[in-house]
Amino acid sequence: MNRRKALKNIGISFGSITFSTSILSILQSCQSNELDWSPDFFSSKQISFVDRMFEIIIPETDTPGAISLKLSKFVDAYIFKNTPSNDKSELNQEIEEFINVILSNENQKSIHEIDDVMLEKYLTNHLDSNNFTESNNKNYSQLCGLFRQMAVRSYRLTEYVMTNKLGYVPIPGYYDGNVDV
Amino acid sequence: MFKLEMISNLEKMENKFDAIVVGTGISGGWAAKELTEKGLKTLVLERGRMINHIDDYHTANMDPWDFKGGDTITQEAYKRQPKQSRTGYVNTESSRHFFVDDMEHPYNDDENKFNWIRGYHVGGRSLTWGRHTYRLSEFDFEANLKDGIAVDWPIRYKDISPWYDYVEQYIGVQGRPEGLAQFPDGKFLKPFDLNVLENHMRKSIANNFNDGRILSNARTAHITEGTKPGLGRVTCQYRNRCMRGCPYGAYFSSNSSTLPAAEATGNMTLMPNSIVHEIIYDDDKKRATGVRVIDAENNQTYEYYAKVIFLCSSSIASTSILMQSKSNRFPNGMGNDSGELGHNLMDHHFQTGAYGTFEGFKNKTTYGRKPAGFFIPRFRNIGGITNRKDFIRGYGYQGGASRGSKSIANSKEELAAYGKKFKDIIVQEGEWSGSMGAFGEILPYHDNQMTLDYNKLDKWGLPTVTFNAKIRENEISMRKDMKQQAIEMLERSGFKNVTGTGSDNNYVFGNGIHEMGTARMGRNPKTSVLNGNNQIHSVKNVYVTDGACMTSSGNQNPSITYMALTARAVNHAVDELNKQNI
């Protein structure tokens, strides 16, 4: 019950933020295993996993996706400074558990040996479905839903998306309450 | 950059002045301006640190993505500011430096929770206030007398009306005249526009209710045309970052407006980091002679003397100073012959209303981020069919309508659950939605009070404040109506999924950040602390013009009333000084 509550708290907390993400690079388009920043909450292994999950949810198209926009960096900073330690601990354990379940099923030692198609299958099985259970009789819909929520929230708060997709202007100068879409 | 000058060499400084002002917030800034402009050498004492307009607004130009991990109330902030955090918004990273560290500035609220939300710095809450400005009306000034409650205000609307004119014209207030007795019109600049949905609501509410209620524009202290006097005060740029301090000086603050005016006269001496803790009383002269000050940084103590003293340090602080000013003549605190000092503590109760979604205007959106939405003025208990049996007094709503991004709640059914298509959908315009929350009057109850605890001292050896206040039957009945009417107005305007918000019974006193009363004005020295000129009945050269003076709370955001009362009181004080009456 603690686990469910912790994940729920984090989801609610993410749902309530309105603005902001960390300084981003929109030039980086290649997926690299090398991190040019140091996570405060996630481990390096978890960051790779989270990056790839986020990228499945918000992929690179003709516009930047989750990895280019460094959404995991924002989420890492967010969780580090806003989440109470108990909840942090629960989230950490849930992610580790999910990674281990996948590795065990696929008989692999490292997430890098699992391709994106396979990873996507796990996401699809659990997202929006309470019924699917792994060999440990657990369902990870809450965690996968949280991944999606984190990805969407942080995506909408990047400078790129705010200025190019959401019409955000730092200094509007005037207000118009009747604009044709 | 023109800066407010600080006194640095205390030993050489004079300690005799014509006037002393305690506090530099909404009312203190006005006292400083009016006194110095009338030629009085004025010492202005502020317990907090210096904040220079623009230079010290460190977060004012930060874009949303400049806050690493978001602009949030962090775990660190919860630890240092547990009580400020209760508001859920004041101490996010963009503004937490303008709110007190609760560990450094403790108070006691064990019996009934109290949210005492404030910041200690030059400018006080004039830097962070909500900027809504609504005049009290004749209904409000007559209310206690008509209801047989508490004591009668010693003034009426006609006494303060020219002073509302005076301060509004100086600071700049945007608003829309409506010609309603309970919602007196002011000297307005052109209003922020209502958007398409807000305009639709205005029409719906006018057409669908028979009690004369209307939806109007919120009235706020923003400049919408031209300029106003101060350190370069120009029009609002619609960034909606007011609480961080505005580099355009577009909303009223002491820092951008009244303090620079005072400085420009050459008659002001401004001293931050100076905690006034006592007013000195001379029983032979039957007047106050000065104040005792503790330096906030090094704990040294000083005395300063003046012919007239203006207490403008905010309701609770001003009353604390009076309580701490004990003498043989005033064993229970200065001016406390009536025993009312500390009592009749009020606030506005809020956090109840409704929200809903709106399916229309799919081809419309907005540009810019205006810092205020609509206001629905009081429509209860103003005569005729508006009079209720279940509660007295009234309330008004603040609210707004807007359009956000598409919700991902139903993504599996309506949209792709993730991926390329999902990515496009999540940045599309979502539905319009609207919400409103009411601010309601709290009656003056003798038992709602503050006291000082001399067993729990702060780091300067001063007693801490203990609060004991709660809402009672009249407020609870009113809250039921506040929620129900919000639901009705949204539903009759065509909103769907309309949901009432907030609790009828539970309201944490102080959360409205309009704490007032505790040194009320009245006609009779036996039942009040101040007279109709804001003088202490028994110490006529001490004026209290911040929220402490309020005899009833109305439902109106009170800051403009404090400004008007202050300007009026200074005018009286200078007149009295010239006549040698004080």
Side-chain angles (χ1 to χ4, degrees):
Chain A
M1 273 306 125
N2 270 344
R3 181 66 57 86
R4 289 199 68 78
K5 188 143 190 296
L7 297 188
K8 186 177 171 202
N9 287 345
I10 296 170
I12 289 170
S13 159
F14 253 89
S16 68
I17 51 173
T18 48
F19 274 147
S20 188
T21 190
S22 49
I23 293 168
L24 61 91
S25 163
I26 60 171
L27 301 175
Q28 185 173 339
S29 57
C30 60
Q31 296 184 28
S32 163
N33 290 337
E34 296 281 321
L35 273 186
D36 58 358
W37 59 279
S38 201
D40 290 317
F41 167 69
F42 292 117
S43 66
S44 310
K45 178 181 79 178
Q46 288 170 348
I47 277 286
S48 302
F49 178 70
V50 164
D51 263 342
R52 291 174 67 196
M53 281 301 201
F54 281 3
E55 185 73 16
I56 293 167
I57 296 168
I58 300 182
E60 186 94 1
T61 56
D62 55 350
T63 60
I67 289 177
S68 292
L69 293 173
K70 291 195 171 159
L71 301 189
S72 64
K73 188 175 181 185
F74 172 79
V75 171
D76 179 76
Y78 181 91
I79 293 173
F80 179 69
K81 67 174 188 174
N82 295 326
T83 306
S85 0
N86 288 347
D87 291 353
K88 269 181 178 137
S89 171
E90 297 290 340
L91 177 61
N92 180 46
Q93 286 173 51
E94 183 83 343
I95 296 174
E96 279 301 301
E97 207 182 270
F98 193 36
I99 291 174
N100 288 336
V101 154
I102 294 171
L103 293 179
S104 163
N105 287 354
E106 306 305 320
N107 202 16
Q108 296 288 2
K109 288 214 165 51
S110 154
I111 281 290
H112 299 309
E113 284 146 29
I114 313 246
D115 66 29
D116 286 348
V117 173
M118 184 62 69
L119 219 49
E120 186 176 335
K121 189 183 70 133
Y122 278 92
L123 184 70
T124 318
N125 284 343
H126 289 279
L127 202 56
D128 302 319
S129 161
N130 291 326
N131 299 324
F132 188 90
T133 53
E134 295 293 343
S135 50
N136 64 355
N137 282 327
K138 254 197 83 166
N139 164 271
Y140 292 91
S141 66
Q142 204 185 8
L143 180 65
C144 290
L146 188 57
F147 280 159
R148 180 172 58 195
Q149 187 176 25
M150 286 173 170
V152 171
R153 286 284 164 182
S154 48
Y155 180 71
R156 284 177 180 157
L157 302 178
T158 59
E159 181 177 2
Y160 179 83
V161 172
M162 286 196 80
T163 53
N164 290 298
K165 302 280 183 191
L166 298 177
Y168 181 87
V169 174
I171 306 175
Y174 68 93
Y175 179 77
D176 188 341
N178 188 348
V179 176
D180 291 328
V181 165
Chain B
M1 176 63 62
F2 183 81
K3 274 190 207 264
L4 295 172
E5 294 295 320
M6 268 172 43
I7 280 296
S8 49
N9 195 336
L10 291 167
E11 273 148 25
K12 291 220 179 85
M13 201 184 94
E14 282 289 329
N15 62 359
K16 289 190 181 58
F17 296 85
D18 297 322
I20 288 172
V21 176
V22 184
T24 56
I26 287 279
S27 44
W30 268 95
K33 168 188 174 306
E34 293 297 296
L35 288 164
T36 53
E37 285 183 345
K38 291 186 198 301
L40 275 71
K41 294 287 183 215
T42 306
L43 175 65
V44 181
L45 297 163
E46 164 56 52
R47 70 172 293 159
R49 69 191 189 282
M50 190 63 203
I51 296 286
N52 276 297
H53 178 56
I54 304 180
D55 286 354
D56 292 327
Y57 304 157
H58 300 303
T59 56
N61 293 316
M62 288 172 76
D63 284 306
W65 48 84
D66 290 327
F67 294 92
K68 184 178 173 203
D71 180 21
T72 56
I73 302 177
T74 63
Q75 288 294 295
E76 167 68 16
Y78 278 110
K79 257 206 317 241
R80 296 300 310 183
Q81 298 172 307
K83 299 194 180 180
Q84 310 305 297
S85 300
R86 290 176 185 170
T87 60
Y89 72 95
V90 302
N91 60 332
T92 61
E93 282 167 274
S94 56
S95 56
R96 71 173 286 211
H97 43 284
F98 289 147
F99 291 88
V100 296
D101 181 309
D102 285 312
M103 302 289 105
E104 269 220 338
H105 301 285
Y107 62 89
N108 317 306
D109 60 338
D110 298 326
E111 251 197 83
N112 286 302
K113 220 160 156 189
F114 192 100
N115 292 351
W116 189 20
I117 311 302
R118 72 254 185 251
Y120 291 155
H121 46 259
V122 169
R125 280 177 269 177
S126 79
L127 264 184
T128 53
W129 65 308
R131 309 161 300 281
H132 283 254
T133 62
Y134 304 106
R135 297 187 179 199
L136 290 179
S137 71
E138 193 69 336
F139 287 103
D140 303 298
F141 288 112
E142 289 180 341
N144 282 355
L145 184 65
K146 285 213 162 118
D147 294 332
I149 278 179
V151 300
D152 187 19
W153 276 93
I155 57 174
R156 288 296 184 260
Y157 183 70
K158 66 169 172 37
D159 298 308
I160 193 177
S161 168
W163 296 99
Y164 276 135
D165 289 353
Y166 177 63
V167 299
E168 284 170 0
Q169 281 171 310
Y170 191 81
I171 71 173
V173 176
Q174 61 82 22
R176 179 184 203 156
E178 299 283 6
L180 297 174
Q182 76 276 22
F183 189 51
D185 295 332
K187 297 291 178 193
F188 294 140
L189 303 172
K190 66 177 182 180
F192 293 139
D193 289 339
L194 296 179
N195 60 42
V196 286
L197 181 49
E198 290 164 350
N199 270 316
H200 164 79
M201 289 177 71
R202 178 174 166 89
K203 291 196 196 83
S204 293
I205 288 170
N207 291 336
N208 284 300
F209 292 88
N210 63 353
D211 56 9
R213 71 179 76 175
I214 63 162
L215 178 147
S216 181
N217 302 48
R219 297 169 173 178
T220 63
H222 290 89
I223 300 172
T224 50
E225 50 187 328
T227 62
K228 286 295 177 188
L231 287 180
R233 297 193 61 211
V234 297
T235 59
C236 179
Q237 298 298 302
Y238 303 90
R239 307 173 323 142
N240 197 21
R241 297 179 191 160
C242 311
M243 219 160 78
R244 308 180 193 185
C246 181
Y248 304 92
Y251 74 88
F252 170 79
S253 67
S254 301
N255 311 62
S256 66
S257 170
T258 45
L259 288 175
E263 175 82 9
T265 65
N267 291 326
M268 179 173 75
T269 302
L270 172 64
M271 279 179 59
N273 302 309
S274 304
I275 305 174
V276 172
H277 61 97
E278 192 181 334
I279 301 179
I280 307 165
Y281 181 70
D282 183 328
D283 203 24
D284 293 327
K285 296 181 182 157
K286 299 275 181 265
R287 56 187 53 157
T289 54
V291 297
R292 296 199 166 99
V293 172
I294 295 171
D295 186 304
E297 292 179 311
N298 60 27
N299 285 11
Q300 287 195 299
T301 57
Y302 303 93
E303 287 187 2
Y304 301 105
Y305 308 103
K307 303 175 208 162
V308 67
I309 295 167
F310 268 74
L311 262 191
C312 302
S313 50
S314 79
S315 312
I316 308 301
S318 291
T319 292
S320 295
I321 291 169
L322 291 176
M323 285 175 162
Q324 288 158 198
S325 305
K326 296 195 215 293
S327 57
N328 288 333
R329 170 66 181 87
F330 296 114
N332 299 317
M334 181 175 285
N336 197 16
D337 292 333
S338 63
E340 294 295 334
L341 190 65
H343 291 273
N344 315 302
L345 175 58
M346 298 169 286
D347 182 21
H348 292 132
H349 62 105
F350 78 118
Q351 289 175 302
T352 188
Y355 69 89
T357 57
F358 192 84
E359 281 165 11
F361 297 121
K362 284 201 195 322
N363 59 340
K364 294 286 184 185
T365 187
T366 60
Y367 175 82
R369 301 181 294 279
K370 61 174 173 153
F374 62 74
F375 188 80
I376 296 174
R378 173 177 172 183
F379 52 83
R380 292 309 205 199
N381 294 316
I382 48 173
I385 58 166
T386 74
N387 289 346
R388 309 279 301 174
K389 293 194 168 57
D390 49 346
F391 62 89
I392 58 173
R393 312 288 166 98
Y395 56 87
Y397 294 90
Q398 293 177 18
S402 62
R403 201 169 180 186
S405 295
K406 247 197 168 82
S407 162
I408 61 167
N410 297 315
S411 64
K412 192 172 169 213
E413 291 132 23
E414 293 177 21
L415 329 166
Y418 63 87
K420 184 168 184 277
K421 191 169 168 225
F422 179 74
K423 184 187 176 188
D424 288 336
I425 289 166
I426 59 177
V427 293
Q428 288 173 6
E429 295 267 12
E431 268 185 319
W432 282 91
S433 63
S435 67
M436 61 178 90
F439 281 77
E441 179 156 3
I442 295 182
L443 294 176
Y445 301 101
H446 183 82
D447 287 345
N448 282 348
Q449 62 179 290
M450 58 164 279
T451 52
L452 295 181
D453 189 336
Y454 281 84
N455 293 319
K456 292 185 185 145
L457 304 181
D458 66 16
K459 67 187 244 196
W460 296 279
L462 297 173
T464 53
V465 176
T466 295
F467 293 96
N468 204 336
K470 58 182 189 191
I471 59 169
R472 297 161 198 260
E473 202 187 307
N474 196 64
E475 290 78 39
I476 292 168
S477 297
M478 191 191 293
R479 288 174 81 72
K480 295 188 166 97
D481 196 49
M482 281 153 72
K483 184 188 288 185
Q484 189 51 41
Q485 293 310 304
I487 292 171
E488 294 259 5
M489 284 188 276
L490 289 177
E491 282 179 346
R492 292 194 213 181
S493 300
F495 282 79
K496 303 272 180 279
N497 307 308
V498 176
T499 311
T501 54
S503 153
D504 295 337
N505 303 327
N506 293 323
Y507 172 71
V508 177
F509 226 92
N511 214 35
I513 322 186
H514 294 161
E515 78 282 4
M516 60 174 92
T518 69
R520 70 180 175 197
M521 292 166 80
R523 298 181 191 279
N524 186 345
K526 291 203 171 79
T527 53
S528 59
V529 179
L530 309 173
N531 65 19
N533 303 310
N534 290 77
Q535 294 165 293
I536 297 181
H537 284 294
S538 47
V539 189
K540 293 249 177 2
N541 67 333
V542 178
Y543 288 75
V544 183
T545 64
D546 56 30
C549 76
M550 299 291 275
T551 305
S552 69
S553 69
N555 66 274
Q556 294 91 321
N557 299 57
S559 295
I560 197 74
T561 297
Y562 304 159
M563 295 189 216
L565 286 173
T566 301
R568 175 175 175 268
V570 171
N571 187 62
H572 182 266
V574 173
D575 211 40
E576 290 290 283
L577 281 170
N578 289 338
K579 291 177 186 160
Q580 298 186 337
N581 287 340
I582 59 172

